[in-house]
């Protein structure tokens, strides 16, 4: 597969190949596998002085007898005499390799990692190898860092298998492959340095090969359609298992491709990044609340929250059909929000990233009549020192306060000398952060409440 697109994809460029296939390609060692994959997964080796096919087989092929498959594939008459500079095609399935590993950089919630038939307890920093089966539950996230520095992020409700995680000895190159059976995966792939380096993501109907880019892969749970959306770099799409020059479709950054089980390809321009209303607003309520500038082209939005700008440590995510997104409470701190628009054709748009502050500070109040007068009470949650302020106005919300008490540390005030009439009251709080590195205070008020006094 890779040899067919070397002419149009320079190794230094940010290129992505998406080759459609109706089913996943089985890989097995031996001559049968070599014949099956001879058209699609090969490397090219240039003979050097002193090389023979036997020596190559002993040092770099998984079985020394596999030299026969290489001999037949390249129509070599004498395996002992091959001129220096001769290029031989060698199926990747025959090559020796050392196992590579992925490191669990961050995770949240309930994730499942199984390998060799056993479930493993997730621990940040643990190594995860080829053959691992990974699942994320609802409101769960994880990020892997591969040996070459590439990052793979799984959001909630996703199922991914690591089918290749290898370092090929002959070419000193990487051979990575993930299979997305359900949900989504984001691949932020470091530029591949060697011609034989390979990074691929498979779905039940598509396979993508990349040499350094940022792109998303998603399998629609209902239709089975596989979506590929390019944030950086370029994608080339072709129907079938092999590239066909007449059928190539280029998917540049900001565009996407959808592949169906029938082999059809739909190409679309991704929606531009959405605009977040009041992005500098401190998120102080019990639930996080974000509002998006509405536009007709978007039917919904997806929002991801992370503790870092690279979105390695994802802490929350929400998807809505509309422009208002709410997420459960998260600890105080500085966070990053990544926002995308969802189109009616199923594609997710280009991302916009915002930073925001989370400082929980809730406030509520009540007023009632008691034996000793009228009692005003307030309550709320938040870390750090909290000081309250009670305002009472007579007849109108715009009149001058008849009571304006600030700096209150208690949560109750009782007044016994209110004359008959209509009053409007509210309570405010100023809360100082408990974080010495971020000491800014937050101030908020309840809405005015009306109270009628009739003694």
């Amino acid at each position: 597969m890779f040899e067919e697109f070397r002419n149009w994809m320079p190794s230094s460029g940010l290129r992505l190949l998406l080759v459609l296939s109706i089913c996943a390609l089985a890989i097995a060692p031996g001559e049968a596998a070599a014949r099956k994959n001879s058209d699609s997964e090969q490397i090219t080796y240039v003979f050097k002085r002193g090389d023979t096919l036997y020596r190559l087989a002993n040092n770099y092929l998984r079985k020394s007898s596999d030299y026969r498959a290489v001999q037949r594939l390249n129509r070599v008459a004498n395996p002992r005499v091959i001129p220096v500079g001769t290029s031989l095609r060698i199926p990747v399935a025959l090559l020796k390799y050392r196992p590579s590993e992925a490191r669990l950089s961050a995770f949240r919630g309930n994730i499942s990692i199984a390998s060799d038939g056993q479930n493993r307890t997730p621990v940040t920093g643990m190594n995860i190898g080829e053959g691992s089966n990974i699942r994320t539950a609802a409101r769960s996230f994880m990020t892997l860092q591969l040996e070459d520095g590439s990052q793979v992020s799984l959001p909630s409700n996703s199922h991914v298998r690591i089918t290749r995680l290898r370092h090929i000895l002959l070419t000193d190159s990487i051979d990575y492959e993930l299979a997305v059976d359900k949900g989504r995966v984001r691949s932020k792939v470091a530029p591949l340095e060697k011609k034989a380096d390979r990074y691929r993501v498979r779905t039940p109907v598509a396979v993508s090969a990349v040499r350094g880019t940022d792109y998303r892969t998603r399998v629609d749970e209902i239709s089975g359609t596989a979506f590929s959306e390019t944030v950086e770099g370029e994608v080339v799409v072709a129907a079938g298992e092999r590239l066909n020059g007449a059928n190539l479709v280029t998917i540049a950054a900001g565009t996407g491709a959808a592949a169906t089980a029938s082999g059809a390809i739909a190409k679309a321009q991704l929606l531009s990044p959405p605009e977040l209303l009041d992005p500098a607003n401190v998120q102080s309520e019990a639930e996080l609340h974000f509002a998006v500038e509405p536009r007709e082209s978007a039917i919904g939005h997806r929002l991801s929250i992370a503790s870092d700008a690279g979105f390695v440590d994802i802490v929350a995510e929400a998807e809505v059909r509309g422009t208002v997104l709410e997420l459960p409470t998260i600890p105080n701190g500085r966070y990053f929000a990544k926002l995308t628009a969802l189109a009616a054709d199923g594609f997710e748009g280009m991302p916009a990233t915002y930073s925001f502050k989370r400082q929980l500070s809730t406030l509520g109040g009540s007023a009632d009549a008691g034996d000793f007068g009228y009692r005003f009470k307030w309550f709320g949650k938040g870390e750090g020192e909290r000081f309250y302020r009670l305002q009472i106005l007579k007849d109108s919300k715009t009149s001058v306060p008849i009571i304006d008490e600030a700096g209150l540390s208690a949560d109750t005030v009782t007044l016994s000398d209110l004359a008959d009439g209509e009053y409007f009251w509210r309570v405010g709080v100023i809360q100082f952060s408990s974080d010495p590195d971020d000491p800014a205070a937050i101030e908020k008020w309840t809405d005015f409440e009306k109270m009628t006094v009739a003694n």
Side-chain angles (χ1 to χ4, degrees):
M1 175 174 62
F2 269 58
E3 289 304 314
E4 298 183 43
F5 63 85
R6 294 301 183 193
N7 292 331
W8 56 262
M9 189 183 75
S11 61
S12 61
L14 297 179
R15 300 284 190 169
L16 171 68
L17 166 68
L18 183 64
V19 182
L20 300 184
S21 60
I22 300 304
C23 60
L25 190 60
I27 304 297
E31 190 171 345
R35 287 197 299 268
K36 180 177 180 180
N37 298 290
S38 60
D39 291 334
S40 58
E41 296 193 346
Q42 302 171 359
I43 60 98
T44 298
Y45 178 74
V46 180
F47 258 61
K48 303 178 182 64
R49 185 175 301 277
D51 278 345
T52 69
L53 199 51
Y54 297 129
R55 182 175 300 171
L56 190 70
N58 286 332
N59 292 336
Y60 298 109
L61 298 188
R62 296 165 71 176
K63 293 194 303 182
S64 58
S65 59
D66 283 341
Y67 82 87
R68 297 188 184 93
V70 178
Q71 181 180 3
R72 279 191 286 272
L73 177 63
N74 293 275
R75 299 179 181 178
V76 173
N78 187 347
R80 298 183 183 274
V81 181
I82 299 177
V84 173
T86 300
S87 294
L88 292 186
R89 292 174 294 149
I90 304 176
V92 173
L94 303 184
L95 293 172
K96 288 181 180 178
Y97 62 90
R98 67 167 175 81
S100 184
E101 289 182 325
R103 182 173 62 86
L104 182 57
S105 298
F107 73 95
R108 303 268 179 158
N110 183 16
I111 68 171
S112 169
I113 302 173
S115 59
D116 297 326
Q118 296 183 338
N119 291 324
R120 302 179 62 191
T121 301
V123 177
T124 301
M126 70 184 293
N127 290 325
I128 300 172
E130 179 177 312
S132 296
N133 206 321
I134 304 171
R135 299 175 187 267
T136 57
R139 296 188 296 278
S140 302
F141 315 92
M142 65 174 294
T143 297
L144 300 174
Q145 180 162 322
L146 306 185
E147 190 175 313
D148 70 332
S150 298
Q151 291 179 352
V152 179
S153 297
L154 279 69
S156 302
N157 301 312
S158 296
H159 177 202
V160 170
R161 291 174 289 116
I162 302 178
T163 52
R164 292 276 189 93
L165 206 54
R166 304 174 180 181
H167 191 103
I168 304 299
L169 300 183
L170 176 61
T171 53
D172 189 29
S173 59
I174 63 170
D175 184 14
Y176 298 156
E177 181 179 284
L178 308 176
V180 182
D181 295 331
K182 176 185 175 184
R184 296 178 285 133
V185 64
R186 177 200 175 194
S187 299
K188 192 170 184 179
V189 183
L192 305 185
E193 298 178 351
K194 296 181 176 64
K195 185 177 181 180
D197 285 339
R198 302 189 304 167
Y199 179 98
R200 291 154 299 171
V201 177
R202 292 187 180 275
T203 70
V205 297
V207 55
S208 61
V210 58
R211 294 200 61 82
T213 190
D214 188 348
Y215 74 108
R216 304 182 299 249
T217 306
R218 177 173 64 87
V219 177
D220 185 271
E221 192 169 356
I222 298 176
S223 67
T225 300
F227 291 86
S228 178
E229 297 144 351
T230 308
V231 177
E232 297 177 3
E234 188 172 272
V235 180
V236 173
V237 179
E241 295 185 2
R242 299 180 58 192
L243 283 172
N244 184 328
N247 294 329
L248 290 178
V249 177
T250 300
I251 309 298
T255 56
T260 66
S262 66
I265 305 172
K267 180 179 176 181
Q269 188 75 24
L270 302 183
L271 294 179
S272 59
E275 294 185 18
L276 191 64
L277 298 176
D278 197 11
N281 178 49
V282 176
Q283 294 287 335
S284 61
E285 296 300 322
E287 291 186 336
L288 278 67
H289 182 96
F290 297 88
V292 185
E293 180 73 35
R295 54 179 173 173
E296 293 182 0
S297 54
I299 63 169
H301 295 85
R302 178 176 288 137
L303 179 71
S304 297
I305 305 296
S307 64
D308 62 294
F311 283 79
V312 173
D313 182 21
I314 301 174
V315 300
E317 188 176 74
E319 179 180 327
V320 299
R321 287 294 189 262
T323 59
V324 176
L325 298 105
E326 293 183 345
L327 297 95
T329 186
I330 60 176
N332 289 346
R334 297 280 180 173
Y335 293 91
F336 296 86
K338 181 178 289 185
L339 184 66
T340 55
L342 306 177
D345 55 12
F347 285 97
E348 181 179 351
M350 295 293 284
T353 302
Y354 300 88
S355 63
F356 70 94
K357 182 180 180 180
R358 165 61 166 171
Q359 184 176 342
L360 179 65
S361 179
T362 62
L363 182 63
S366 64
D368 54 39
D371 294 337
F372 303 99
Y374 291 90
R375 185 178 64 173
F376 297 85
K377 185 176 178 61
W378 45 88
F379 46 86
K381 294 181 179 181
E383 296 178 0
E385 287 189 293
R386 290 166 63 96
F387 296 96
Y388 300 95
R389 182 176 179 181
L390 175 65
Q391 288 186 339
I392 302 178
L393 295 71
K394 195 170 187 304
D395 299 328
S396 170
K397 297 178 183 179
T398 60
S399 61
V400 176
I402 61 171
I403 294 176
D404 193 350
E405 291 289 337
L408 301 172
S409 56
D411 61 0
T412 305
V413 166
T414 300
L415 302 176
S416 59
D417 54 353
L418 286 178
D420 291 356
E422 289 189 343
Y423 296 88
F424 295 87
W425 69 274
R426 66 175 183 170
V427 64
V429 65
I430 181 167
Q431 176 179 309
F432 294 93
S433 173
S434 59
D435 184 356
D437 297 325
D438 193 4
I442 184 171
E443 182 178 357
K444 65 192 320 179
W445 290 87
T446 64
D447 293 332
F448 277 106
E449 297 287 344
K450 183 178 180 181
M451 182 178 69
T452 302
V453 175
N455 294 311

